[in-house]
């Protein structure tokens, strides 16, 4: 199949491909057929044959495959093609699609035009502007309609594939660095994108008349729809100047913050150069007009709303709403008189005048959809509102519609939302009704509108009608949620609908509620009191479940309204609550206080066993605990000032706001009722831990959210430790076996919480004593058991195992709570159980769960303690750890399991993996002693060298880590993290390793280099680089370096084996030249390769010569040789491994790879 | 090299001394449990609720430690389950006889000759190799 072959041979190829294609279609011997097609793709220079097939084959499939082959071969061989060949390939594709524009096999045409687009991109930076324009002049002629509708369609189609190739997120891989794609993107955006857009507009406008004049669907509509779709694609382009422009512009619309929220709109910010075409050209008017006319005309035909033209027109209109930034002239947002049609306000009003037709009046629209009308227009209308909300603030959003209608945009938004909520109430959720989608879009719109942006503060949030609308809407939402709650109660199935699941929706509701906070809080209070009353009335007679479920929903909604999720930080009181109650100065009458107090009162009733049995189901308690956690982290004993608000408010109002805030906070302040409230909260927690046995979710919320949150704040801890209830909790924890039944992680968290509360004790001696009291029961029991003579048989008893595991979990929790002040007590705790731990490791060696726990206890304890330890303590701890490692190793090395069951077998593997991971973590933790050390010892009298320890550790652990074990990704990650850290920080230890350990390390490095995870390969490269650098530097200083490991030696069979560095030089060269890897790794590879080359320059020379010799012809030979030459010489690279040279080498290697990898990988 | 064998003598009736009651909520993955009078190792625990305001239940998936069969059970998490007392005994391997039986040395110094080598070929080979190499 060469250029010179005759016609007959081309025919033969064509027949072979056609035969292969048809046999794939009828599924006869597909493997052979695929091989035939693949051989065409892989053969050198198949262009002539492919072109012949494309032009002459009657079979569409064969033409399709030929196009694929052209693409594959050309991308592969691009650097060998002469400029003329490149251009002729592209123009062949282009002229083919233009010539056959009317062909019925659309997929072949779009394939060929996408091949043209890809080739054009591949050569984009090589072509001169004139050459590019040469291609595009043809395209332009086609698009504006000189050659008929089909050609017009094909032209736009080509531009579509071109733009999607140039947009980084949709481009296909060319095997080139990211910079290439980036440069292409920039160049296209600067020089061509706007022209393309104009051509599309022109094409669409040229066919408007025909479309509007004809009564049926015409083929012009296809062109128009494609053009609109292409315009949308251009507007979706990620304009590069966008972010910078936004930050500099002093605009009333502070959308920077809004960009972070994850709603489904994108802002379109093409910059000022697009102003003429997008804003002033008037094409928006034309677009709205076109849609309006057609909508009118086809109003009787239901199908039209979903036809491609209508869909693309609507999408484009919605996208135009997102237009913002410097494309509008800076200065006035709204200027009806001076620049009519130019400012953003006018632009939005114009679009809204079109969109409003799709959604107004909402009730009629909803009814029409019920009767079978397509919902897509209404949904697009909602999306339009969302896009507009994203580029405006609430007030100007509301004003927009007032220019053309007697009501504001917010009224229409809330009317729409009401219709949607009403519709949802009647629907079954599982069918995913339209109102479901609409609700999500509209909620996003509200969130976007109401999310605080930096500038807006107190007053401007919503105009008065907007507040009313929000209040009504919230009432309706709550009604619908309650109805849903009571309705779903009958369903038997219960899908772990946890508290967090509905979070997102509820927080949008909360935003709406906060917009009208002065109405919604009393409203919620009323709803609660109704339900409480109902519960008490029906005491024991009626089934309370409906009411309980309603309370459950109300608690969640109220929690969201009153407080924000802190995510580990202390959340602030919502601005709305701080500022919108200036008339309430008395604590008892403050609406928020009334609401909170009524809920806490209700929660307190759960302490009464009878009430608890009657009403407080685990699920209701979950909501209560969740609410208490959220409430207490925002309001309980809160100190601090009011959030400053930028809006100018007069002094009097500000003062009243501050007073009202003070009134609110004094409800739960430290000096007032705060302590009583805290007492109630702790008592409720204690109840959930003791009286709700086995309710994991509930106890999880109690331990992690509520108690964990409470001890996070120091001022609360100070009161906590003085409370009777807290002491009771501690007493229960140490003495009551009931708490043994808590889940493992809750044991841990409870121990941690109790220990952390010690920070509330001012006197450090007392604090340490408090911790000793808390932990003595664990250490005493463990010591007692491990000291028994018949420990071997006792230990296997399930109740002993349960006891031991519980206490170990608690030890873990306590260890992770170590703080500088209480470190002493925790150290003593760990020290006293060292011997028991070793003992247990021995007796429980077959009890995988216990072994793992033992290791984790040690890991956590070492992690918390290591940086504080004095030298003699360090020595003790390290000695203990080494003992532990050895013991573990002696139990597990070479262990074979004869289990019959394969799943037990894989369980056993997973257990082993977890153990090993814990051991690696232990070593890593020990390493940190070298980094951070706050003990009082001077650096010199450090008696134990950590590096020594780590290497002993590696000797013990590494034989346990088999290549099979490295298939567990996390273990693999930890192993290489430790390895690379070790090699980088303590390379001087390597020569001291024995041969076995060393070859194990180099074996795993070899494995890691070919791992599919980029990060792991990166770590291996770092390790290699450290090894080679160390060797190189030592040799430079006249020392031994890696010594025997680096020299060639004779293996057991008497064959000469290369030293390790030479072996890695070989395999690294092989990797970077011939194998698949991510281009991001090249930097790391350069860092490893350079010192390797320096270490063994002779071998490198030999490898280089081999490479050159292996090239099939002299052209390639010279290319290879010169590339190799410039790799080590260009940019004044000198052969010494300092930073400057390393950097230069990185650049050189990048260039080298771009240069040669293309042809090396073909041959 | 040691070889292991599980010993569980109360297959027919779970005698009081052989099992211990333990709250279902506290039984964890890779612990042991008695299901249908068989001693099993737990491989999966999940909790679910009955009805919205009901109590939690634990769902266990466990594997019979003798025959490797999978068993499942659902127990309210505040109720008790039977947990077997599983003993492991290590024997020293002294000999492999021609007919595939092994001769084992117990801790008390007696020999135990009634166990056959495992049937899995790969494992068999591995054991023999280790045995031959001492």
């Amino acid at each position: 199949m060469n250029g010179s072959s005759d016609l007959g041979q081309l025919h033969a190829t064509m027949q072979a491909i056609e035969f292969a294609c048809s046999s794939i279609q009828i599924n006869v011997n597909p493997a052979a057929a695929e091989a035939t097609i693949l051989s065409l793709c892989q053969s050198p220079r198949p262009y002539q044959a492919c072109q012949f097939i494309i032009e002459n084959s009657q079979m569409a499939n064969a033409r399709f495959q030929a196009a694929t082959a052209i693409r594959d071969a050309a991308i592969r061989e691009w650097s060998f093609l002469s400029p003329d060949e490149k251009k002729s390939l592209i123009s062949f594709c282009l002229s083919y699609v233009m010539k056959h524009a009317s062909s019925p096999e659309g997929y072949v045409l779009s394939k060929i035009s996408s091949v043209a687009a890809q080739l054009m991109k591949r050569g984009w930076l090589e072509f001169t502007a004139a050459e590019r324009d040469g291609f595009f002049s043809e395209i332009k002629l086609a698009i504006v309609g000189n050659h008929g509708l089909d050609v017009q369609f094909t032209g736009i189609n080509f531009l579509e594939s071109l733009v999607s190739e140039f947009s980084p997120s949709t481009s296909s891989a060319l095997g080139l660095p990211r910079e290439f794609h980036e440069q292409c993107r920039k160049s296209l955006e600067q020089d061509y994108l706007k022209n393309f857009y104009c051509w599309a507009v022109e094409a669409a406008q040229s066919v408007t008349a025909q479309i509007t004049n004809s009564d049926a669907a015409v083929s012009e509509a296809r062109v128009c729809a494609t053009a609109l779709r292409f315009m949308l694609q251009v507007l979706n382009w990620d304009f590069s100047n966008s972010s910078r422009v936004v930050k500099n512009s002093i605009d009333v619309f502070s959308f920077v913050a809004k960009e972070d929220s994850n709603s489904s709109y994108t802002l379109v910010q093409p910059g000022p150069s697009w102003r003429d075409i997008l804003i002033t050209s008037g094409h928006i008017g034309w677009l709205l007009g076109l849609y309006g006319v057609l909508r009118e005309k086809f109003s009787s035909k239901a199908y039209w709303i979903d036809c491609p033209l209508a869909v693309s027109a609507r999408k484009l209109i919605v996208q135009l709403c997102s237009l913002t930034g410097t494309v509008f002239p800076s200065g006035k947002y709204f200027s009806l008189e001076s620049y009519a049609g130019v400012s953003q306000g006018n632009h939005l009003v114009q679009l809204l005048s079109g969109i409003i037709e799709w959604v107004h009046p909402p009730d009629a629209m909803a009814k029409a959809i019920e009767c079978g009308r397509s919902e897509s227009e209404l949904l697009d209308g909602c999306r339009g509102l969302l896009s507009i909300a994203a580029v405006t603030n609430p007030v100007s959003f509301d004003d927009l519609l007032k220019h053309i209608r007697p009501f504001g945009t917010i009224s229409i938004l809330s009317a729409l939302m009401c219709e949607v909520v009403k519709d949802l109430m009647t629907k079954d959720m599982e069918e995913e009704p339209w109102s479901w989608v609409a609700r999500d879009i509209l909620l996003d719109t509200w969130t976007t509108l109401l999310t605080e942006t930096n500038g807006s503060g107190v007053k401007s949030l919503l105009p008065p009608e907007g507040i009313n609308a929000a209040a009504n809407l919230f009432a309706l939402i709550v009604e619908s949620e309650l109805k849903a709650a009571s309705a779903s109660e009958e369903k038997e199935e219960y899908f772990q609908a946890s508290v967090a699941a509905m979070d997102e929706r509820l927080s949008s509701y909360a935003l709406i509620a906060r917009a009208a906070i002065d109405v919604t809080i009393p409203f919620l209070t009323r709803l609660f009191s109704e339900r409480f009353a109902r519960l008490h009335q029906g005491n024991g007679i009626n089934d309370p479940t409906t009411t309980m479920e309603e309370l459950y929903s109300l608690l969640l909604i109220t929690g969201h309204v009153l407080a924000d999720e802190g995510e580990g930080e202390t959340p602030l009181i919502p601005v709305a609550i701080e500022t919108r109650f200036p008339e309430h100065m008395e604590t008892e009458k403050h609406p928020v206080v009334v609401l909170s107090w009524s809920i806490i009162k209700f929660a307190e009733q759960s302490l009464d066993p009878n009430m608890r049995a009657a009403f407080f189901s685990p699920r209701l308690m979950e909501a209560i605990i969740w609410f208490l956690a959220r409430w207490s982290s925002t309001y309980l004993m809160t100190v601090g000032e009011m959030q400053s608000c930028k809006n100018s408010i007069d002094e009097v109002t500000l003062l009243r706001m501050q007073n009202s805030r003070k009134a609110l906070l004094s409800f739960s302040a430290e000096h007032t009722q705060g302590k009583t409230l805290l007492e109630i909260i702790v008592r409720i927690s204690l109840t959930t831990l003791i009286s709700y046995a086995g309710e994991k979710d509930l106890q999880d919320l109690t331990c992690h959210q509520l108690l964990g949150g409470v001890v996070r704040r120091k001022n609360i801890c100070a009161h906590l430790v003085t409370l009777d209830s807290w002491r009771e909790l501690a007493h229960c924890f140490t003495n009551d076996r009931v708490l043994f039944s808590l889940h493992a992680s809750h044991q841990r968290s409870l121990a941690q919480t109790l220990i952390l509360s010690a920070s509330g004790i001012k006197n450090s001696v007392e604090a340490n004593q408090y911790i000793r009291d808390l932990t003595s029961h664990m250490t005493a029991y463990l010591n007692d058991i491990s000291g028994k003579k018949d420990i071997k048989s006792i230990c296997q008893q399930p109740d002993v195992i349960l006891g031991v595991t519980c206490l170990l979990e608690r030890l873990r929790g306590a260890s992770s709570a170590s703080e500088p002040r209480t470190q002493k007590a925790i150290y003593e705790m760990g020290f006293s159980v060292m011997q028991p731990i070793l003992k247990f490791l021995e007796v429980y060696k077959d009890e995988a769960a216990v072994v793992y726990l033992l290791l984790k206890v040690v890991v956590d304890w070492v992690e918390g303690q290591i940086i504080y330890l004095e030298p003699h303590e360090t020595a003790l701890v390290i000695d203990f750890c080494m003992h532990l490692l050895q013991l573990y190793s002696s139990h597990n090395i070479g262990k074979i399991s004869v289990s019959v069951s394969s799943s037990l077998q894989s369980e056993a593997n997973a257990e082993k993996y977890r153990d090993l991971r814990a051991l690696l973590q232990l070593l890593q933790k020990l390493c940190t002693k070298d980094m951070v050390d706050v003990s009082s010892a001077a650096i010199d009298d450090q008696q134990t060298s950590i590096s020594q320890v780590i290497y002993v550790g590696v000797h013990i652990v590494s034989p346990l880590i088999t290549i099979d074990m490295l298939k567990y990704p996390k273990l693999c990650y930890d192993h290489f993290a430790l390895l690379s850290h070790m090699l980088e920080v303590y390379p001087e230890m390597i020569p001291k390793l024995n041969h076995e350990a060393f070859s194990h390390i180099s074996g795993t490095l070899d494995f890691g280099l070919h791992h599919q995870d980029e990060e792991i390969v990166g770590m291996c490269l770092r390790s290699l680089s450290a090894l080679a650098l160390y060797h190189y530097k030592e040799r430079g200083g006249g020392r031994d370096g890696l010594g025997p490991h680096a020299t060639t030696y004779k293996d057991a069979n008497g064959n000469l084996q290369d030293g390790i560095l030479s072996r890695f030089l070989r395999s690294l060269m092989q990797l970077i030249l011939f194998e698949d890897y991510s281009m991001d790794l090249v930097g790391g590879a350069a860092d490893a390769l350079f010192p390797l080359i320096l270490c063994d320059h002779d071998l490198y020379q030999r490898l280089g010569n081999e490479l050159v010799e292996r090239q099939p012809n002299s052209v390639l030979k010279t290319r290879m040789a010169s590339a190799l030459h410039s790799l080590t010489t260009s940019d004044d690279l000198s052969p010494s491994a300092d930073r400057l040279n390393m950097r230069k080498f990185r650049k050189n290697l990048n260039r080298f790879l771009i240069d040669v990898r293309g042809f090396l990988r073909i041959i | 090299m040691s070889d292991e064998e599980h010993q569980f003598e109360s297959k027919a009736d779970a005698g009081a001394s052989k099992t211990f009651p333990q709250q279902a909520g506290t039984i964890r993955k890779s612990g042991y449990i008695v299901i249908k009078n068989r001693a099993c190792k737990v491989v999966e625990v999940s909790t679910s609720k009955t009805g919205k305001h009901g109590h939690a239940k634990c769902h266990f998936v466990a594997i019979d430690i003798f025959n490797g069969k999978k068993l499942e059970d659902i127990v309210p998490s505040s109720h008790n389950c039977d947990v077997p007392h599983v003993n492991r005994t290590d024997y020293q391997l002294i000999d492999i006889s021609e007919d595939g039986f092994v001769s084992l040395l117990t801790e008390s110094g007696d020999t135990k000759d009634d166990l056959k080598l495992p049937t899995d070929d790969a494992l068999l080979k591995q054991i023999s190799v280790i045995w031959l190499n001492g």
Side-chain angles (χ1 to χ4, degrees), chain A residues 609-654:
Chain A
N610 293 328
M611 292 295 282
R612 188 161 63 228
F615 303 129
F616 290 89
S617 72
R619 182 170 154 91
L620 184 56
M621 277 315 272
E622 276 171 37
I624 289 177
I625 294 290
W626 176 86
F627 175 84
L628 288 177
R630 196 142 173 161
W631 179 85
S632 62
S633 62
T634 309
Y635 293 97
L636 188 64
M637 300 188 187
T638 308
V639 282
E641 281 302 295
M642 197 164 135
Q643 294 165 54
S644 63
C645 39
K646 284 179 186 164
N647 275 36
S648 53
I649 16 173
D650 56 289
E651 295 260 321
V652 185
T653 328
L654 186 66

Side-chain angles (χ1 to χ4, degrees), chain A residues 373-400:
Chain A
R373 188 185 154 91
S374 166
E375 73 270 13
S376 48
E377 195 180 59
L378 182 79
L379 291 181
D380 279 332
C382 296
R383 289 193 187 102
L385 289 178
L386 172 61
S387 301
I388 296 177
V391 295
T392 55
N393 65 24
V395 175
S396 49
F397 178 78
D398 194 40
D399 280 345
L400 285 176

Side-chain angles (χ1 to χ4, degrees), chain B residues 23 29 55:
Chain B
Q23 198 185 311
K29 195 175 170 222
H55 291 276

Side-chain angles (χ1 to χ4, degrees), chain A residues 958-970:
Chain A
S958 63
L960 293 171
I961 298 179
T962 55
I963 298 291
D964 264 347
M965 276 283 142
L966 286 181
K967 282 174 190 152
Y968 288 94
K970 280 184 184 166

